[in-house]
Amino acid sequence: NAGVTQTPKFRVLKTGQSMTLLCAQDMNHEYMYWYRQDPGMGLRLIHYSVGEGTTAKGEVPDGYNVSRLKKQNFLLGLESAAPSQTSVYFCASSTGAGGGKSMNEQFFGPGTRLTVL
Amino acid sequence: AQSVTQLGSHVSVSEGALVLLRCNYSSSVPPYLFWYVQYPNQGLQLLLKYTTGATLVKGINGFEAEFKKSETSFHLTKPSAHMSDAAEYFCAVMNTGGFKTIFGAGTRLFVKA
């Protein structure tokens, strides 16, 4: 199993450009999440999904959109990038109820380092 | 609302010394509590978790943590630090029955030879 994978690993954008970050998981998890990590602020939830075709806003959703057309994929889009969106982005997934001893544990991808100039 | 406070953004210990990383939480309902570790340029991985039952939980790499409800704490310890323990550690809380997790700001552990 590859677990949680993220594409791309690094990206540099100019202000106003758009891009999509792809997250894929092969664990058949119901829940998926996008976080951003900034120094001294831990992880902050951007958007999340409780199942295929559903998405919801997290703590810091402004400037981002998401889609979950397939259970295994969760896409994060930046429509018009801003320097404040320079960050490391992590995708995570977790199983729902009945997930056994892994229930409630989040599995993380390796991250995408995004710089907006 | 739930919250997590990690005391100390940086902790430095000598190799072989006790590691103690502090975490206090706020939750209006019984929480699930987690410690995650992040090695450089990697994602987070679970060290240990408390859900129900025994309040002293053991995790990977010799780490353990004790849930103390009266102190709303979930401090992480390891008796003897190893150089490979150098990483950033995150405490996190989740409502029982929920799925969203609130993370602390993180504590970076340095291990001196």
Side-chain angles (χ1 to χ4, degrees):
Chain A
N1 285 353
V4 179
T5 58
Q6 293 183 232
T7 308
K9 289 185 169 51
F10 303 93
R11 186 71 185 268
V12 178
L13 291 179
K14 295 180 180 179
T15 297
Q17 287 185 317
S18 63
M19 77 163 295
T20 299
L21 281 67
L22 171 63
C23 175
Q25 53 95 4
D26 61 2
M27 296 172 283
N28 201 34
H29 283 171
E30 289 295 329
Y31 303 144
M32 296 187 74
Y33 316 82
W34 274 108
Y35 295 92
R36 60 177 290 171
Q37 182 180 30
D38 301 291
M41 302 186 75
L43 276 74
R44 292 182 291 168
L45 183 64
I46 304 171
H47 287 280
Y48 63 97
S49 168
V50 301
E52 180 179 319
T54 71
T55 63
K57 295 181 180 179
E59 184 186 358
V60 289
D62 294 343
Y64 305 95
N65 57 76
V66 288
S67 65
R68 190 154 177 216
L69 299 179
K70 293 182 179 180
K71 186 176 183 179
Q72 63 267 35
N73 295 337
F74 195 29
L75 279 63
L76 177 71
L78 285 73
E79 295 175 342
S80 179
S84 60
Q85 294 178 304
T86 293
S87 187
V88 182
Y89 291 85
F90 287 99
C91 176
S93 69
S94 66
T95 185
K101 69 175 184 177
S102 293
M103 194 170 70
N104 305 312
E105 173 186 351
Q106 294 195 9
F107 294 81
F108 284 82
T112 295
R113 187 172 296 275
L114 175 66
T115 302
V116 183
L117 302 175
Chain B
Q2 293 177 302
S3 65
V4 176
T5 302
Q6 291 184 239
L7 299 177
S9 58
H10 297 84
V11 170
S12 182
V13 301
S14 297
E15 193 172 22
L18 171 72
V19 175
L20 171 60
L21 303 183
R22 300 177 186 273
C23 172
N24 288 88
Y25 69 91
S26 171
S27 178
S28 58
V29 296
Y32 291 158
L33 295 161
F34 307 82
W35 277 99
Y36 286 85
V37 61
Q38 183 181 31
Y39 297 103
N41 299 314
Q42 294 185 25
L44 281 69
Q45 57 183 279
L46 184 70
L47 261 184
L48 50 80
K49 65 180 178 183
Y50 167 79
T51 54
T52 59
T55 56
L56 180 65
V57 292
K58 297 185 185 298
I60 61 173
N61 301 336
F63 284 93
E64 62 183 36
E66 186 171 12
F67 170 55
K68 292 187 176 181
K69 183 178 179 180
S70 61
E71 299 178 7
T72 61
S73 69
F74 191 56
H75 302 330
L76 181 70
T77 60
K78 181 174 180 178
S80 177
H82 192 272
M83 297 296 289
S84 60
D85 295 327
E88 189 153 22
Y89 294 80
F90 292 91
C91 183
V93 63
M94 173 195 289
N95 272 349
T96 56
F99 56 90
K100 287 199 289 181
T101 304
I102 306 299
F103 290 86
T107 297
R108 186 167 295 277
L109 176 65
F110 297 92
V111 182
K112 299 175 292 186

